[in-house]
Amino acid sequence: MLATGASVPPLVAAGVCERRAPSGIALRGYVHHPELAQTLRELQIVWHPRLSGGYGWIFPGPGGVFNVGAGLTGSHASEAGGRASMRDVNLRQMLEAFASVHAPAAELLERGELRGDWKGAPLRCSLGGARWSRPGLLVTGEAAGSTYAFSGEGIGKALETGLLAAAALLEGGDDAAVRARHEAALAGLKPRFALYEKAAHVNHRPWLADLVVWRARRSPRILRRMSAVLEERQNPGRLLSWRGITKLMFE
């Protein structure tokens, strides 16, 4: 079982790497701010023109500690000779831009206590970039690309693919049968990941996110639908596709 995250060398060594370049990159840190924890209790994702191509997030955790960071999707858009060039983006500057446009982020960065170091990491999204198996090996988690391109959510998805791999093993049978079950299970998830990949165009058009938010503020029903996209209870293709956005403008 290969569950080594988005690191490329293990994929290459195992002979399952199909794309070295990540789908995106992100920078995050853990910041302690117990006072802010009294009022900020929900996940926040922020799109803004100064964060074009990505977004910033604040995720409240236990003990007054927040996971705060900024990420960029489509960071390595083209490959040449098996390697991809990264867009000219500085993630620390992107994090500073996040703080400059979102007051809670500024509060965390200016008055919170950083626990550990700021850490950057690649993202592998949409169940792409690697073979899902080879003889004697199953690939799971972010090694298999288990992160959503739209929101960067990956922990729950990695766990889900791990459970599917375990189920394929527990059912027994020979190597070919186990691999077939594992690949069929991931193929069953692929359409959902494709919808979040399609919705990721919003990350490169912050004005579009502003338009959707403006409309949602005037419609509790649309606001519930937007929340449901992040909670995986709403098909993002119905809301964040061009057709869906056109429709909600006139609902």
Side-chain angles (χ1 to χ4, degrees):
M1 184 93 67
L2 188 69
T4 49
S7 178
V8 170
L11 293 171
V12 173
V16 294
C17 185
E18 294 182 334
R19 188 193 70 239
R20 290 175 175 268
S23 308
I25 53 174
L27 179 71
R28 67 106 176 100
Y30 292 97
V31 179
H32 185 237
H33 196 318
E35 293 80 11
L36 188 61
Q38 301 301 313
T39 55
L40 203 166
R41 302 175 183 273
E42 297 178 337
L43 168 67
Q44 296 187 347
I45 297 181
V46 176
W47 289 270
H48 190 275
R50 292 194 60 192
L51 303 173
S52 182
Y55 49 84
W57 73 83
I58 299 175
F59 186 84
V65 175
F66 294 85
N67 178 331
V68 57
L72 178 72
T73 59
S75 58
H76 297 68
S78 60
E79 293 201 24
R83 294 186 178 276
S85 58
M86 179 179 162
R87 291 171 53 190
D88 184 17
V89 176
N90 184 305
L91 285 178
R92 288 189 178 271
Q93 292 177 356
M94 194 172 180
L95 188 65
E96 292 171 0
F98 179 34
S100 72
V101 301
H102 190 55
E107 177 68 21
L108 284 169
L109 268 60
E110 293 173 7
R111 297 183 174 85
E113 176 192 356
L114 180 65
R115 297 285 179 87
D117 299 319
W118 293 103
K119 292 186 177 180
L123 305 175
R124 296 181 72 86
C125 302
S126 305
L127 293 178
R131 292 162 55 198
W132 295 339
S133 76
R134 65 155 173 76
L137 181 72
L138 303 182
V139 182
T140 189
E142 201 169 6
S146 62
T147 295
Y148 279 154
F150 167 63
S151 62
E153 199 282 307
I155 296 174
K157 301 302 99 192
L159 291 171
E160 183 176 1
T161 63
L163 289 170
L164 292 173
L169 288 166
L170 288 171
E171 195 170 332
D174 61 18
D175 182 85
V178 172
R179 289 179 60 201
R181 282 195 296 270
H182 176 63
E183 296 213 3
L186 292 186
L189 297 180
K190 187 70 173 178
R192 190 199 315 167
F193 277 83
L195 291 172
Y196 280 86
E197 177 81 27
K198 187 176 182 179
H201 70 87
V202 170
N203 296 335
H204 297 271
R205 299 172 177 85
W207 62 268
L208 189 55
D210 284 344
L211 182 63
V212 175
V213 170
W214 173 82
R215 185 68 181 88
R217 284 176 173 170
R218 288 155 177 76
S219 171
R221 183 169 60 85
I222 293 175
L223 182 60
R224 288 193 296 270
R225 287 172 60 190
M226 288 180 62
S227 298
V229 168
L230 295 177
E231 296 167 359
E232 296 184 56
R233 296 185 292 102
Q234 167 75 43
N235 179 342
R238 294 178 181 173
L239 182 63
L240 296 173
S241 65
W242 290 110
R243 180 179 179 182
I245 291 169
T246 300
K247 183 179 178 181
L248 71 82
M249 289 296 106
F250 299 100
E251 285 185 349

